[in-house]
Each structure stands twice: as structure tokens, then as C-alpha cells.
Amino acid sequence: MPRPMGNVRLKAARVAAGYNSQQDLADALTRAADEIGLRGLSVGVRQVRRWESESPPWPQPDCQRVLVHLLGQPMESLGFTPPWGPDDAQRARAHRVPLAGVASVINAAAVPGRTSAAVQPATVGVDFESVTRSHRRLYWSVAPAVLHPAVLAHAALGCALLSETEDPTRRTIAAALAESYLLAGRIEFFDLREPTGASDTLLAALQAAGEADDSLLGAAVIAHMAFIPGWAGDRDAALERMVAARTYARRAPASAEFLAWLDAVEAECETRCGNTRTALNLIGHAEDALTMGNEHASPPWIDWFSPTRLAAFKGNTQLMAGHLPQARETLLRVLDELPAVEDKQRTVVFGDLAAVEAASGSPELACEYACRALDQLNLTWYATGMDRVREVRRALTPYQHERCVRELDDRLYGWSTTLSALSR
């Protein structure tokens, strides 16, 4: 017998908001009620358990208000079905709270167990999944501003198909939909520098992973969510999400590569928060995991990680820790080992090498690496790579009157580079 999935949408929204247990959500709802003037409203863990059950009851109006306030989504998007009939559409629309961001598109998805008037053939699952797989490969070469709308349009199609398919096809589509939203979120965060939009999109990915009951994909989504507070210096929020990601990973047969990637994500968050010693320990643990391996195969969608990528993480952390000779050695080795298709990562490595030389008092070599990064960015835009170049330029302020730095400025603030940066 398959285990009951319960209200996966409310569970996904709870975890995404940082509430790892039903008790945490109940306590937060009680506090939020007081904040918005609903004094005396108390939500218990038993009530939250009922809301996360297979057939959640429609909450009372005050509870609806505090749920929407705290989790930022309309009731239907949180997995609740209104008690009025389908013919009362106008009344239903009056109770729908608009949700900012792309996560609202998933409202079109079916509630588990609902029958549909139009049932698509089983082949649509394979067909939809194949397009998702193609987008995954296109990410490494197609400009993010071009690929991003195509991925979102494909995700919208997936939401519609969820309501027109039955298991196991429905789960196939849900898993591919989660991967599509994950890809869109990665583009928004790493390529376009839109963390707010990425947060909404990754929430949609988590909801879709819940629809597919795919714990490993859910772990990948939550780990990506940890990048957002991690890069902002909010260590507590980042580590809380990493705990959730590791919890989800334990529920599935996770490969050594996947577990090493979780270490790398946490290491990068620690690095961004100034804890380089902890980060280097995590990277060492990841290296050991890759060396030992295990019997589980990696999912095909984890194409953003490899031993070389881990070394790139390590080089950046060594740089931030002030271990300049070690960082230089690590990053030069990464540069030699990067496959030809890794153009985006190459810009980051060039930027980190430039930072190493700037910190070592070698402005000419720093400018040379920074210019190589700009050459690559003109071919393949990557906002994270451009961030590295700008950081290097700030580090070169003591040398700004030297010829090499002025030549870098000419490149950095030339018409083509400036227009490219501002138009993406």
C-alpha cells in the first residue's frame, strides 16, 4: 500500500518558510496572529496536523488570514479546497489572494486524487520530461535571458498537465516540473541576480517535488534555497535549510556525489558568512565522500557538480581564508581540468585567480585574469562571474592609477560590457 502523502503543498510551504516541524508552524501562526491584530487566536499542533492530512479541512476565516499572512500564498496554493461548489466561481475568485512571483503558476496543478475530465495519454510524461532534459543541457550554452522564459513556459505547461494525468504519469510530470522550476530558480539566482524571484520559483519547485514525492529532488531544491540567505550573510537561516535538505536526502538513496554536493553548499554558505575554517572542514568531508563513494547512482539532473567543481569551491574558500598559495594552486588545477562546456564556471575561476593575485600584490596578473573573465562573459553571460570581476576591481583600488588597472577599467566600463550587464 502506498503511504499517504498528505497535504504536500502546505508541508512544502512550511519547510520553505523555515518551519521544520508542525509545532514550529503552530507557534509561528500564534505569534503572527497577535502581530496582525487577531489577539487571542491560538493555533495548536493538532490543528496543523489536520491541515497537513490527506483531506485537510477548510480553515476558519481568521486562520485563513494568518496562514496567508505568514506563508505568503493563497489558500488553494497551500493545498486547501474551498467548501463551495465548482459552479460558484465568482465566490471562489473573491477568496483567492494573488501570489507574487512565478510560484503562483502551480495553482493550476491538480489536487492529489482528483479526477479530471480530460486524461492525457501516458506518453505525455515521457514527452514533457524530454523537453525538461533538453533545457537542462541548453543551460550551459544558451544565454540565460533567452532560456529563462522558455523554461517558465514549459513549467506552466507542466502545471496544466498535472490536472489532466493520472499516476504514474502524473508523478513523472511532477518530477520533471520540479526540475524545470529548479532550473528557472538557478538561472534567476546565479545568472540574473534576482534572489527574490528565485525564492518564489524554488518554492514552486519544492511544491512540485512534493507532488512527485521525490525526496532527493526536494533535498536539492531546499539546498538551493539555502544559498539565498547564505549569500546574504544570514547563517542561521542558511543552516536551518541545510538541516532540512539533509533530512530529505536521508529519505532516499543518495549517492556519494549528492552528499558531497550538500557539503559543498553548506561550505559556501559558511564561507560567505566568514566561517572559512568550518567551510574547509566541510569540503574535506566532501572530498572523503567522493573518494569512498557508495553503491547509489547520482540522479541525471545533478549536472552542476563534480570533483572539479568541488575543487573550485575549495579554491574560493582558501582565497577567503587568506591561504593564497594554496588557493592559487587549487584554482590553476581547476582551470586545467574544467571541461570545454564549463564556460560559466571558467569566468568564476578567472575571477578568483584575479583576486588571489590582487591580494598577493600582483596587479598586472590580477588584471590579466580579470580581462580573461570579461572575454568569457562576452561569450556566455553569468552574473556570478561578473560579481567576481567587480570584487577584484574594488580590491585593486590601491593600484587604480597604474596602466593595467586603467586598461581593465576600459574593458569593464566599455560600451559592450556595460550594456550587456545592464540589459540582463
Side-chain angles (χ1 to χ4, degrees), residues 81-328:
T81 302
W84 46 83
D87 295 333
D88 210 350
Q90 185 174 0
R91 185 179 176 189
R93 282 195 297 270
H95 285 75
R96 184 179 298 276
V97 179
L99 174 64
V102 70
S104 61
V105 179
I106 205 168
N107 292 345
V111 174
R114 188 182 76 181
T115 58
S116 175
V119 178
Q120 296 286 349
T123 54
V124 301
V126 176
D127 294 338
F128 183 81
E129 190 179 39
S130 68
V131 176
T132 298
R133 188 166 55 248
S134 296
H135 285 161
R136 184 200 315 152
R137 292 194 297 265
L138 288 170
Y139 171 74
W140 302 108
S141 59
V142 175
V146 175
L147 182 61
H148 184 249
V151 174
L152 287 184
H154 180 60
L157 172 62
C159 289
L161 291 176
L162 277 182
S163 63
E164 299 177 359
T165 51
E166 298 175 344
D167 287 340
T169 302
R170 188 174 180 281
R171 287 199 177 191
T172 299
I173 291 174
L177 176 61
E179 186 184 335
S180 289
Y181 273 132
L182 175 56
L183 176 58
R186 283 171 52 80
I187 293 173
E188 288 162 359
F189 184 73
F190 293 111
D191 297 75
L192 302 178
R193 269 288 168 265
E194 298 174 357
T196 301
S199 181
D200 289 339
T201 305
L202 290 172
L203 176 57
L206 186 59
Q207 290 175 319
E211 299 280 354
D213 196 23
D214 191 325
S215 296
L216 205 59
L217 194 49
V221 174
I222 298 170
H224 276 87
M225 287 177 158
F227 278 126
I228 299 173
W231 283 35
D234 187 347
R235 182 174 184 265
D236 290 342
L239 295 189
E240 191 171 37
R241 293 182 180 189
M242 287 308 304
V243 169
R246 293 184 188 278
T247 301
Y248 273 70
R250 286 198 298 269
R251 298 171 184 164
S255 67
E257 182 183 33
F258 187 85
L259 296 175
W261 173 69
L262 291 180
D263 284 335
V265 174
E266 188 169 342
E268 179 153 355
C269 292
E270 290 283 14
T271 299
R272 295 274 175 167
C273 294
N275 302 312
T276 53
R277 178 177 295 182
T278 301
L280 288 171
N281 287 336
L282 284 162
I283 291 171
H285 187 268
E287 291 173 331
D288 291 342
L290 289 176
T291 300
M292 294 177 61
N294 63 25
E295 69 276 16
H296 304 305
S298 294
W301 39 259
I302 186 171
D303 59 348
W304 58 73
F305 186 70
S306 67
T308 303
R309 285 293 190 105
L310 178 61
F313 276 113
K314 183 177 183 177
N316 178 257
T317 301
Q318 289 170 329
L319 164 64
M320 297 301 174
H323 304 165
L324 301 182
Q326 297 92 327
R328 182 186 295 110

